[in-house]
Amino acid sequence: MVSQVIPHALERLIQDLTRLPGIGKKTASRLALNILRRPPAEARELASALMELHSSIQLCSCCFTFSEHDPCELCKDPKRDPQIICVVEQPGDLLAIEKTNSFHGHYHILHGVLSPIDGIGPGEIKIAELEARVTSGTVKEILIATSSTVPGETTANYLIDRLQKAAVTVSRLACGIPMGMDIKYADKYTLAKAIESRSKTA
Amino acid sequence: MVSQVIPHALERLIQDLTRLPGIGKKTASRLALNILRRPPAEARELASALMELHSSIQLCSCCFTFSEHDPCELCKDPKRDPQIICVVEQPGDLLAIEKTNSFHGHYHILHGVLSPIDGIGPGEIKIAELEARVTSGTVKEILIATSSTVPGETTANYLIDRLQKAAVTVSRLACGIPMGMDIKYADKYTLAKAIESRSKTA
């Protein structure tokens, strides 16, 4: 009954939109109806941005982030410190770290985390490529910035193991209470971690 | 610093996505990066669905819903009762009502609500077109199904006023406690409305 009243082209767009993360059937309908209500030029602009996306963006052959150039702007930048490499799961993590303006070294994007259940082993993510960069000689420190989730931790521990013999310092992001958070709202695991990793005052 | 590391094509897609309702900068980045990570064919499919949207969908000249045909499937359907017209704000509301399977008449989409602050008067929405349908003679009942928001109520009251002289029954959706809701969680306005509109048991 309902599918009969939804035009086919609208139904198709709704279906396509539901493939995106966090977009369910209801949100997709709302977005599609909104696009339909607005000027056709806006829909065409969005379509053209989508078409251009993959054709103009590639992976940087050095750090594997998405970039229009190879090597990417960051790998080319002489102001950045080549002695420290921050290892992240996805390009989105790189952007999050760049926004802090607190890291001025280079990056390495793994493009995933180890997850044996999903068939993702060390060969499926950019670990060998990281080792190649480490053995090149310039690198002095590897900062592992994977998520503090189970697969993120597994990946971090695997990397620490594999980099043990290399002549580099391996560091990790600190875990603890988020800035500005009331202690009574922190979950018990975070709080336990914060106690365990407590820092001494002067 | 950050904009330098975001490829131009990605930045453009993020900008375009933020125009959609409920999509902020953060969600747009997440969606765009997700699209970039997936096969280019999926992005092309989404782009093509967007291109097709406006070209194949138009407004039904009778009820003003979005449709691939004119008149639309609903207006053409001989099984639907032409004596009752349900008046809604947007095509999405029509879909919501169709899902209930409780209404078997025709529809009329206003494409907006009266909102003097935004410069939307009776001439900007499909009110004259509704009157024309009412005076055609077949219609016996107008069910006003605008939202129970301030602009929705204003529009409903305006319609009731304007349809007063027409020889039709004007009805409205019932207001009250949502099905399955615990009374203590209902807001006081809804609860007051439910008390005011209480129905007598046999």
Side-chain angles (χ1 to χ4, degrees):
Chain A
M1 202 65 174
V2 177
S3 69
Q4 186 205 327
V5 301
I6 302 182
H8 176 75
L10 188 63
E11 183 69 52
R12 180 186 163 197
L13 180 60
I14 294 172
Q15 284 297 333
D16 286 348
L17 287 172
T18 50
R19 286 199 208 142
L20 299 176
I23 307 269
K25 186 104 188 158
K26 229 168 181 168
T27 307
S29 301
R30 195 166 49 83
L31 293 177
L33 283 168
N34 184 278
I35 294 169
L36 194 49
R37 267 207 302 279
R38 289 157 76 159
E42 281 189 25
R44 276 199 300 272
E45 159 58 28
L46 183 55
S48 125
L50 282 162
M51 293 297 280
E52 201 205 335
L53 193 65
H54 284 88
S55 60
S56 72
I57 296 178
Q58 54 193 323
L59 291 186
C60 167
S61 61
C62 177
C63 72
F64 300 98
T65 192
F66 291 125
S67 174
E68 271 158 333
H69 306 100
D70 186 16
C72 71
E73 304 294 337
L74 281 175
C75 288
K76 270 195 304 202
D77 191 345
K79 274 182 257 145
R80 302 202 65 118
D81 183 1
Q83 301 193 336
I84 174 162
I85 293 179
C86 176
V87 181
V88 294
E89 293 173 15
Q90 297 292 356
D93 303 324
L94 179 156
L95 298 181
I97 292 176
E98 277 301 289
K99 274 187 198 138
T100 66
N101 230 332
S102 298
F103 180 74
H104 308 288
H106 283 215
Y107 287 94
H108 189 88
I109 324 288
L110 294 173
H111 283 276
V113 275
L114 296 178
S115 177
I117 296 174
D118 306 310
I120 300 171
E124 271 70 47
I125 60 179
K126 311 281 183 196
I127 290 181
E129 290 84 350
L130 175 65
E131 271 186 323
R133 290 179 74 183
V134 169
T135 50
S136 73
T138 21
V139 184
K140 296 237 168 93
E141 182 177 348
I142 297 287
L143 166 55
I144 301 178
T146 53
S147 302
S148 63
T149 56
V150 173
E153 292 288 319
T154 310
T155 310
N157 291 329
Y158 179 84
L159 284 176
I160 292 168
D161 248 31
R162 238 173 106 161
L163 294 170
Q164 220 166 19
K165 284 173 207 151
V168 288
T169 310
V170 180
S171 57
R172 298 203 50 187
L173 289 184
C175 261
I177 311 293
M179 293 292 286
M181 189 187 223
D182 193 323
I183 281 176
K184 64 177 167 295
Y185 299 131
D187 66 283
K188 62 180 177 182
Y189 305 104
T190 302
L191 201 49
K193 188 79 188 172
I195 295 167
E196 187 192 316
S197 315
R198 68 192 175 279
S199 57
K200 286 226 165 72
T201 52
Chain B
M1 204 66 175
V2 177
S3 69
Q4 184 205 330
V5 301
I6 302 180
H8 175 77
L10 187 63
E11 184 68 53
R12 179 184 165 198
L13 180 59
I14 293 172
Q15 283 299 333
D16 286 348
L17 287 172
T18 50
R19 287 199 206 141
L20 299 176
I23 307 270
K25 185 102 188 161
K26 226 168 182 168
T27 308
S29 301
R30 196 166 50 83
L31 293 177
L33 282 168
N34 184 279
I35 294 169
L36 192 52
R37 265 209 302 280
R38 290 156 76 159
E42 280 189 26
R44 278 199 299 271
E45 159 59 26
L46 183 54
S48 126
L50 281 162
M51 293 297 280
E52 200 205 337
L53 193 66
H54 284 90
S55 60
S56 71
I57 296 179
Q58 53 193 325
L59 291 186
C60 167
S61 60
C62 178
C63 73
F64 300 98
T65 191
F66 291 125
S67 175
E68 270 157 334
H69 306 100
D70 184 19
C72 71
E73 304 294 337
L74 281 174
C75 289
K76 270 194 306 203
D77 191 346
K79 275 182 256 144
R80 302 203 66 119
D81 183 0
Q83 302 193 336
I84 175 163
I85 292 179
C86 176
V87 180
V88 293
E89 294 173 15
Q90 296 292 357
D93 303 325
L94 179 156
L95 298 182
I97 293 176
E98 277 300 288
K99 274 188 197 138
T100 66
N101 231 330
S102 298
F103 179 75
H104 308 287
H106 283 214
Y107 287 93
H108 188 87
I109 324 289
L110 294 174
H111 284 276
V113 276
L114 296 179
S115 177
I117 296 174
D118 306 310
I120 300 172
E124 272 68 48
I125 59 178
K126 310 281 183 196
I127 291 182
E129 290 84 349
L130 175 65
E131 271 186 321
R133 291 178 75 181
V134 168
T135 50
S136 73
T138 21
V139 183
K140 297 238 169 89
E141 183 177 348
I142 297 288
L143 166 54
I144 301 178
T146 53
S147 302
S148 63
T149 56
V150 173
E153 291 288 320
T154 310
T155 310
N157 291 330
Y158 179 84
L159 284 175
I160 291 168
D161 248 31
R162 237 172 108 160
L163 295 170
Q164 221 168 18
K165 285 172 205 152
V168 289
T169 310
V170 179
S171 56
R172 299 203 48 187
L173 289 184
C175 262
I177 311 292
M179 295 290 287
M181 190 189 221
D182 194 321
I183 281 177
K184 67 177 165 294
Y185 299 131
D187 66 284
K188 61 181 178 181
Y189 305 103
T190 302
L191 201 50
K193 188 81 187 170
I195 294 166
E196 186 192 317
S197 314
R198 65 193 176 278
S199 57
K200 287 227 164 70
T201 52

